[in-house]
Amino acid sequence: MTSEAKDHAQLADIFNKDEARVDWHDETLWWVRAKRDKAVHQLPEWEELREAASQIKHNVLSNLNSYLIQFEAQAQANGITVHWAADGAEHNRIVHELIKAEGVTRMVKSKSMLTEECHLNEYLADNGIEVIDSDLGERIVQLAKEPPSHIVLPCIHKKKEEIGDLFHEHLGTPANLSDPQILTEAARVHLRDTFLTRKVALTGVNFAIAETGEFVVCTNEGNADMGAHLANVHIASMGIEKLIPQRKHLGIFLRLLTRSATGQPITTYSSHFKKPRPGQQMHLVLVDNGRTVQLGREDFRNSLKCIRCGACMNTCPVYRRSGGHSYHTAVAGPIGSILAPNLDMKKYADLPFASTLCGSCTNVCPVKINIHEQLYKWRQVIVQEGHAPALKKVSMQAMTWTLGSPSVYRAAGKMGRWVMKYAPFAINNGFNPWYKQRDMPEPPKESFGEWYRKNR
Amino acid sequence: MTDREKILAAVAQNQPESSPLPNISFFKGDEAGIVEKYINVLTTIGGQVIQVSGYDDIAAWITEHYSADQRLITALPDLKTAAKLFEPVTTGHELADVDLAVIRGHFGVAENGAIWITEELMGHRSLPFIAQHVAVVFNKSDIVPTMHEAYLRIGETEYGFGTFISGPSKTADIEQSLVLGAHGARSMTVFLLG
Ligand code: SF4
């Protein structure tokens, strides 16, 4: 992959070449963000829900050892086979063994960012196993041979005409289709056949309950259920941080998740898998892959509270105008920029710098992760460890110095406006308490590319 | 060391000092106007709600909207004049050509239109997903305000599989245009009894 050699700023430059597309990408995500606001403002108890969710997740992280043991015992009592994988390679090996044991070479998979993180599809392809992603957006990027660019909206960067071309080429639909209704129907027919013919189905996990040993999978399309209920073998892959203590805690998380993600009150399907069907095998793979290391990093531990709603991406002025692929990691955007350096500090040294530190991500995060503060802390760690991206070293030092002194800007009229527009985090600091409960104003789009080129 | 031992040891080593669970018992929804709210929310997200006084009304509705050459299945004996009573299947594949599935739900949730349905009400786990259209029947008096009351009501009940279904299957993956009928049911009709 050539993209791995390029850093975020260079990849963003490529994305920024098509100014009209950047505007469209930016506006589409801001529209999703606005839908989130509308849903959130209907719940007066929103802040209490966020606080409760954050505290529950804190309790989970601080008792993770015993919750994992409890969950395993309950799941086994329910008839679920539990596997443990210290890293992505072990996860992939376990999944491959299960497919081989069933004597098949094909699998259907619903959305799982963990399998993206582990590069499962590539591994299985190398071993002669065909994987079909069944989430419509994921299927589209799979046909395009691209990774998802957003954890909730995998093909948010694609135009409907491009999707029509992909379907024409791979699914045999007539040329030049671009009506979403017709394209979705074509995918429905294509994937229905897949669901009916695959004996092994893999799903992700949104939440797993220590108390009961069940796990919950949320989709709007129904693709996880279609795959799992028709397959002989259901494999569910989850990061160890997905546990929550009790069933009743789902009340908090299911209220927060989709409102934050898309502004819907809940996903169409919130399916609770507790026991396999008669005659079915249900396997659950618990994956570490760096999570225990992050758990030990006091400053970054809270990132493990993430419920993958995508709100921090939708609101991020850098994400919206640089696109998910510029982050060159499975989970893009602000949270991805905290998670990736934990896995490989050198390779992802650029990501914590791909932020204005405006704090909008932190303001929308349903589990109250201090995202922008962690990004700032990663910068310090990365510079200390000698991994600072070369181009950034000089400019970041200058930026840190000047933006660290808001008084400099307040004195200068023109520059002050510049800061308000392009670097509101200089205003959004402890000196301005009025800002605390506000979401960041959207920076004007026309000059973002210019700003980012100068400051990368 | 096995991966299990490795992970558990690393977690034990790195987890912070234990912090307590918060009290969440004060989260409660509003009971006022709950039926209207439910209908409103489900309709907004693409579902259809029909208030009926008994099973005869539902049977009449099915007969009016579907034809005899379609495959109509119900898990409710009260509706066996309008649809074929569900008979056990070995796999969900046998249900791939079902046009309409009519099943019972436990209760609805006003804040999001969802209905809680467990496996024994479905006949087969795949039925509410694989059928082209799905209809769910439950009592008007069985609507709770929010997900908090929903989980209080579910409590410690036993099930192998349970799901909240809120409207028809949908996607907005293509340029954020909402399309109903992604992989699951193309429509969801809810019959509110009573
Ligand atoms: S960090 Fe917060 S806002 Fe971002 S995806 Fe995770 S839960 Fe959502």
Side-chain angles (χ1 to χ4, degrees):
Chain A
M1 246 194 230
T2 52
S3 67
E4 303 209 334
K6 294 195 168 71
D7 72 4
H8 178 269
Q10 291 166 315
L11 292 165
D13 256 0
I14 298 171
F15 188 74
N16 275 300
K17 282 201 179 107
D18 186 346
E19 197 71 25
R21 180 185 292 256
V22 175
D23 287 348
W24 163 77
H25 187 263
D26 179 17
E27 279 157 22
T28 309
L29 285 159
W30 187 254
W31 180 69
V32 178
R33 156 71 209 263
K35 285 200 298 178
R36 171 251 174 222
D37 289 351
K38 210 173 145 218
V40 164
H41 294 153
Q42 281 169 24
L43 293 193
E45 66 271 40
W46 186 254
E47 288 305 316
E48 281 87 41
L49 284 170
R50 288 177 77 211
E51 184 57 36
S54 183
Q55 285 183 24
I56 293 167
K57 283 284 186 179
H58 205 81
N59 170 270
V60 170
L61 295 179
S62 66
N63 295 280
L64 191 55
N65 182 279
S66 54
Y67 283 137
L68 281 165
I69 293 170
Q70 185 189 12
F71 174 73
E72 180 191 39
Q74 292 301 321
Q76 284 169 341
N78 295 338
I80 302 173
T81 309
V82 179
H83 308 259
W84 299 74
D87 53 28
E90 180 59 11
H91 165 265
N92 295 349
R93 202 192 57 74
I94 291 168
V95 173
H96 185 211
E97 287 300 320
L98 291 170
I99 298 169
K100 274 201 293 193
E102 189 60 15
V104 296
T105 56
R106 305 186 299 179
M107 178 174 85
V108 63
K109 175 160 85 69
S110 70
K111 201 183 284 157
S112 152
M113 289 317 296
L114 175 62
T115 59
E116 293 291 333
E117 175 189 318
C118 298
H119 301 287
L120 175 70
N121 285 15
E122 294 91 320
Y123 174 86
L124 290 178
D126 289 346
N127 284 281
I129 309 284
E130 177 216 64
V131 178
I132 289 193
D133 286 321
S134 61
D135 172 85
L136 177 59
E138 287 210 320
R139 185 66 186 134
I140 290 165
V141 291
Q142 188 180 33
L143 291 175
K145 299 192 173 53
E146 290 173 15
S149 67
H150 186 292
I151 58 174
V152 175
L153 320 162
C155 69
I156 189 74
H157 62 292
K158 280 251 177 288
K159 294 272 200 180
K160 55 183 190 250
E161 292 78 14
E162 295 169 300
I163 296 165
D165 291 346
L166 281 169
F167 280 18
H168 175 58
E169 184 187 340
H170 297 278
L171 308 184
T173 53
N176 303 318
L177 289 183
S178 63
D179 179 348
Q181 183 91 39
I182 296 170
L183 292 170
T184 302
E185 183 64 27
R188 177 183 170 98
V189 172
H190 154 65
L191 284 162
R192 185 159 267 253
D193 178 64
T194 306
F195 292 127
L196 287 166
T197 51
R198 298 306 185 267
K199 295 192 163 63
V200 179
L202 189 144
T203 69
V205 170
N206 289 91
F207 305 99
I209 320 297
E211 173 193 51
T212 61
E214 73 199 291
F215 58 91
V216 177
V217 185
C218 305
T219 73
N220 279 323
E221 299 182 9
N223 56 316
D225 287 281
M226 284 292 280
H229 302 318
L230 291 169
N232 300 343
V233 180
H234 175 186
I235 306 168
S237 294
M238 64 175 267
I240 52 172
E241 82 283 18
K242 289 282 162 96
L243 280 179
I244 58 175
Q246 296 157 19
R247 199 184 259 169
K248 69 174 183 206
H249 294 134
L250 285 169
I252 304 279
F253 290 102
L254 291 182
R255 294 189 81 194
L256 288 166
L257 177 63
T258 324
R259 286 183 173 94
S260 299
T262 59
Q264 291 172 253
I266 192 168
T267 46
T268 302
Y269 306 104
S270 309
S271 291
H272 300 47
F273 293 86
K274 188 151 188 274
K275 297 174 184 168
R277 298 190 311 274
Q280 185 200 31
Q281 288 177 45
M282 200 177 268
H283 295 270
L284 192 128
V285 193
L286 287 165
V287 184
D288 179 351
N289 204 35
R291 286 160 177 77
T292 52
V293 177
Q294 193 85 319
L295 186 64
R297 297 187 203 266
E298 198 183 336
D299 285 343
F300 306 111
R301 176 181 291 149
N302 278 347
S303 63
L304 296 171
K305 294 180 176 179
C306 176
I307 58 172
R308 303 288 192 267
C309 72
C312 58
M313 298 168 200
N314 304 341
T315 201
C316 177
V318 175
Y319 176 89
R320 280 186 281 124
R321 298 197 61 81
S322 60
H325 289 156
S326 63
Y327 293 80
H328 59 97
T329 175
V331 179
I335 185 65
S337 302
I338 298 171
L339 298 174
N342 174 56
L343 291 172
D344 188 337
M345 209 183 290
K346 190 160 181 279
K347 185 172 169 192
Y348 300 116
D350 54 322
L351 295 186
F353 295 89
S355 165
T356 62
L357 302 185
C358 69
S360 184
C361 46
T362 303
N363 288 342
V364 297
C365 178
V367 287
K368 293 183 99 165
I369 301 171
N370 53 336
I371 306 171
H372 72 299
E373 287 168 18
Q374 293 194 31
L375 287 168
Y376 183 61
K377 282 182 180 152
W378 261 127
R379 292 181 185 185
Q380 293 165 313
V381 173
I382 284 165
V383 171
Q384 268 161 24
E385 304 273 323
H387 297 308
L391 272 168
K392 291 202 175 73
K393 270 183 195 146
V394 177
S395 58
M396 283 315 296
Q397 273 160 12
M399 224 172 131
T400 310
W401 176 76
T402 43
L403 299 180
S405 323
S407 56
V408 172
Y409 288 119
R410 260 187 241 114
K414 197 178 166 209
M415 278 311 281
R417 275 198 307 279
W418 187 91
V419 174
M420 277 298 279
K421 271 186 180 168
Y422 302 114
F425 61 94
I427 312 296
N428 171 19
N429 59 33
F431 300 112
N432 287 41
W434 62 267
Y435 199 91
K436 280 195 177 136
Q437 291 308 316
R438 283 162 209 256
D439 302 326
M440 195 208 70
E442 188 180 17
K445 31 185 128 7
E446 59 274 7
S447 296
F448 172 83
E450 196 188 1
W451 173 82
Y452 194 52
R453 267 193 298 282
K454 274 187 212 140
N455 292 285
R456 71 188 186 186
Chain B
M1 261 214 306
T2 63
D3 279 31
R4 179 181 186 277
E5 287 160 356
K6 261 192 262 176
I7 295 170
L8 287 174
V11 170
Q13 169 88 34
N14 289 341
Q15 69 188 16
E17 202 177 310
S18 177
S19 81
L21 276 172
N23 171 21
I24 61 165
S25 63
F26 64 91
F27 285 111
K28 280 191 179 70
D30 194 352
E31 298 273 349
I34 206 167
V35 177
E36 290 66 36
K37 176 142 198 223
Y38 179 84
I39 295 173
N40 206 353
V41 172
L42 188 66
T43 310
T44 312
I45 55 185
Q48 180 186 13
V49 182
I50 299 171
Q51 302 203 54
V52 293
S53 52
Y55 282 98
D56 290 348
D57 293 352
I58 303 173
W61 187 92
I62 296 171
T63 313
E64 189 189 329
H65 289 84
Y66 288 84
S67 68
D69 57 355
Q70 288 181 299
R71 188 167 176 205
L72 317 176
I73 283 206
T74 182
L76 294 160
D78 289 314
L79 294 174
K80 64 172 186 278
T81 54
K84 199 167 175 314
L85 202 56
F86 179 83
E87 282 169 16
V89 292
T90 357
T91 76
H93 299 77
E94 295 166 49
L95 304 166
D97 60 348
V98 169
D99 291 295
L100 172 70
V102 191
I103 56 177
R104 180 91 201 180
H106 291 289
F107 62 86
V109 186
E111 70 164 330
N112 56 29
I115 305 171
W116 175 244
I117 309 167
T118 49
E119 184 168 31
E120 73 277 10
L121 301 180
M122 298 174 190
H124 188 273
R125 284 183 195 187
S126 61
L127 187 60
F129 306 94
I130 202 167
Q132 294 291 334
H133 302 272
V134 67
V136 186
V137 185
F138 71 94
N139 295 331
K140 195 153 78 175
S141 54
D142 289 328
I143 298 177
V144 299
T146 73
M147 293 302 280
H148 305 299
E149 292 85 358
Y151 280 104
L152 275 180
R153 190 150 167 177
I154 293 171
E156 294 177 1
T157 51
E158 219 8 91
Y159 49 78
F161 173 74
T163 187
F164 282 102
I165 302 186
S166 173
S169 153
K170 58 172 168 279
T171 181
D173 274 345
I174 302 177
E175 287 200 10
Q176 287 298 295
S177 313
L178 182 68
V179 178
L180 301 184
H183 303 303
R186 295 174 190 274
S187 75
M188 185 197 216
T189 306
V190 170
F191 293 106
L192 276 185
L193 269 178

